[in-house]
Amino acid sequence: MPVEERVPSASLLALFGALAAAWTPGEVAKAMVEHAPAVFGAVGVVLTRLVEPGAHLEIMEVGDMPDPLREQWATIPIDSPVPLCDAARLRQPIFLSSREAWTERYPHLTPVLEATRHHANAVVPLTVDSRLLGVLGLAFETPRDFDDGERSLVLALAAQCALVLDRARLHESEREARQQAEQANRDKGDFLAAITHDLRTPLNAIGGYAELLEMGVHGPVNAAQADALRRIRDSQDHLLGLITTVLEYARGAAGAVSYELTEVPVEALLERAQSFAQPQAQAKRLELLCESGDTSLVVRADRSKARQILVNLLGNAVKFTEPGGTINLWAEPRPDDTIAISVRDTGHGIAASQLERIFQPFVQVTSGADHEQQGTGLGLAISRDLARGMGGELTVESTLGVGSTFTLVLPRSTGAS
């Protein structure tokens, strides 16, 4: 009888379905142990994997094996004189059709054979691209001839099992790498949060003592001393601002940022952001134009975080635009139910090769003269993270010698007209 007539199609479908749904090596092993016996008419299945650096085989899942033997073979040195290890070392399948074939090849394992009550075994290495992943073993309670059709089926399903096992191993490795990267980000965030907290205390003390000196608590202060104290206070404020920025980044990296999404009128958002940036723009003799446009525009956003993004974009525009330049702030609806709020400046612009890099943490935006401005290089990284946290995006377009346009895209409120 042809082998395809001896194998129940429902059993094959069940096995392939279980393998297709398996995403971890453990799930692959369970699928084989649960479904392979019905496909082959076997009474037991064992699936082992090669343990790095390749000196041992480790049982992943097993069915119909006495507990003492299961414990003894839980981890087997690959040079052991047993069928599983021989198949692994030789990279060749081993078919033992009867107890006589067993005792002829492995006379020292006769007690094991009697303990298991098995009569025949098929042991096949699991390989992908010449890489050994493990070994599949099938046990039968009666002698078995293993004709060409049966051997081909065993080898084919072993090959399929190896491919799925390799896929699951890669998936698990990627998941572990992603978890490690996420943990590293959390650790970095925790470290930065601790450092910034520790730095605030002495800086606040510096500011307090400077203020006492300015008040004349320790005696009169002359003009030169007052100017020096003012510079100390200015430097303290600048450092506290940098520390606050780093702390915000640390919170974001640690996933500690929460969002209170509400309906935010765009016109009020623009006016508030403009009011923050207007003094800086006037001091640098820049023209800051706010085009409120459609007063009915409403976004779904966290009000304070949306304002924080716009204030940062306007601050950068002021910083990188030469005196006499212009900064435009406006909003417009888009067909995809979003609203784009843009900040355009007439500064030096950004090189095309730097457009994505500027959103990376600790990267400084440089001017056309390649002069780095003071700062942490975190403002744009934080702003993009905040935008994405609100379901939006932050993008940039720029031309050297012409200027840059940063665009904050936020979801349009469903209550907006």
Side-chain angles (χ1 to χ4, degrees):
M1 180 185 298
V3 68
E4 51 271 6
E5 295 182 15
R6 298 197 300 265
V7 178
S9 58
S11 300
L12 273 176
L13 289 175
L15 175 58
F16 282 130
L19 289 176
W23 283 103
T24 67
E27 290 174 352
V28 174
K30 287 182 179 179
M32 290 298 296
V33 170
E34 181 177 351
H35 296 283
V39 173
F40 296 104
V43 293
V45 176
V46 60
L47 194 71
T48 69
R49 63 181 168 188
L50 187 66
V51 180
E52 297 297 338
H56 295 80
L57 288 178
E58 177 184 78
I59 291 181
M60 299 175 64
E61 195 77 21
V62 63
D64 193 43
M65 179 180 285
D67 289 340
L69 186 59
R70 184 180 308 194
E71 294 174 3
Q72 180 183 348
W73 284 11
T75 302
I76 322 171
I78 202 167
D79 57 358
S80 300
V82 298
L84 291 172
C85 296
D86 284 352
R89 287 197 315 273
L90 300 174
R91 307 288 180 91
Q92 294 291 330
I94 296 174
F95 293 96
L96 301 169
S97 59
S98 64
R99 287 197 171 191
E100 289 73 17
W102 253 95
T103 54
E104 181 179 351
R105 184 163 180 172
Y106 300 101
H108 60 288
L109 294 180
T110 300
V112 172
L113 189 63
E114 293 175 350
T116 61
R117 304 182 308 279
H118 298 157
H119 284 260
N121 290 84
V123 186
V124 185
L126 303 175
T127 60
V128 175
D129 298 329
S130 300
R131 290 182 291 110
L132 178 68
L133 304 182
V135 179
L136 169 68
L138 301 169
F140 302 86
E141 62 182 355
T142 59
R144 202 172 187 91
D145 290 337
F146 293 116
D147 59 28
D148 291 342
E150 287 180 316
R151 294 186 181 218
S152 296
L153 179 61
V154 171
L155 296 177
L157 289 183
Q160 180 66 20
C161 176
L163 288 173
V164 177
L165 189 63
D166 194 43
R167 181 198 68 184
R169 181 185 60 82
L170 291 174
H171 177 75
E172 189 172 61
S173 297
E174 290 172 0
R175 180 175 55 82
E176 290 175 353
R178 184 167 59 252
Q179 290 175 342
Q180 291 173 0
E182 291 171 352
Q183 183 60 50
N185 277 335
R186 287 191 292 270
D187 291 343
K188 179 174 64 177
D190 292 343
F191 169 75
L192 290 175
I195 288 295
T196 53
H197 179 271
D198 290 343
L199 289 175
R200 282 174 179 269
T201 301
L203 278 174
N204 285 329
I206 289 171
Y209 286 123
E211 185 176 0
L212 291 175
L213 291 173
E214 287 178 321
M215 294 169 60
V217 171
H218 300 290
V221 178
N222 61 37
Q225 291 170 333
D227 182 64
L229 289 171
R230 180 186 58 80
R231 291 175 184 272
I232 291 174
R233 295 288 299 276
D234 288 345
S235 295
Q236 180 225 9
D237 290 341
H238 178 67
L239 283 173
L240 283 174
L242 295 180
I243 289 171
T244 298
T245 301
V246 173
L247 183 58
E248 288 177 350
Y249 170 72
R251 287 171 177 163
V257 178
S258 59
Y259 296 87
E260 185 177 348
L261 301 180
T262 60
E263 294 185 355
V264 181
V266 173
E267 183 179 26
L269 186 61
L270 299 189
E271 290 177 352
R272 185 66 170 158
Q274 182 192 23
S275 69
F276 274 95
Q278 190 68 58
Q280 304 171 42
Q282 289 177 345
K284 201 172 178 182
R285 293 183 285 110
L286 300 173
E287 186 176 18
L288 175 55
L289 302 175
C290 180
E291 307 166 21
S292 57
D294 188 348
T295 59
S296 68
L297 297 180
V298 180
V299 292
R300 181 76 175 169
D302 184 303
R303 187 186 302 271
S304 64
K305 291 178 175 58
R307 182 172 63 242
Q308 177 182 343
I309 295 171
L310 293 180
V311 168
N312 180 62
L313 296 180
L314 289 171
N316 282 344
V318 171
K319 184 187 299 185
F320 295 105
T321 302
E322 294 299 324
T326 302
I327 299 172
N328 294 88
L329 172 65
W330 78 96
E332 57 187 358
R334 289 185 169 181
D336 59 351
D337 287 331
T338 61
I339 294 176
I341 305 174
S342 300
V343 175
R344 181 174 62 218
D345 63 58
T346 56
H348 292 286
I350 306 166
S353 61
Q354 300 294 310
L355 290 181
E356 281 302 311
R357 186 171 175 269
I358 61 174
F359 291 106
Q360 297 175 8
F362 305 107
V363 171
Q364 298 278 359
V365 180
T366 58
S367 69
D370 292 330
H371 174 69
E372 292 196 358
Q373 302 286 341
Q374 288 185 335
T376 59
L378 288 173
L380 288 175
I382 293 172
S383 294
R384 175 172 272 187
D385 286 346
L386 292 177
R388 290 176 174 176
M390 293 184 287
E393 186 57 273
L394 180 61
T395 62
V396 62
E397 295 178 355
S398 187
T399 303
L400 283 175
V402 176
S404 305
T405 300
F406 285 83
T407 300
L408 169 63
V409 180
L410 293 171
R412 187 169 186 170
S413 173
T414 54
S417 58

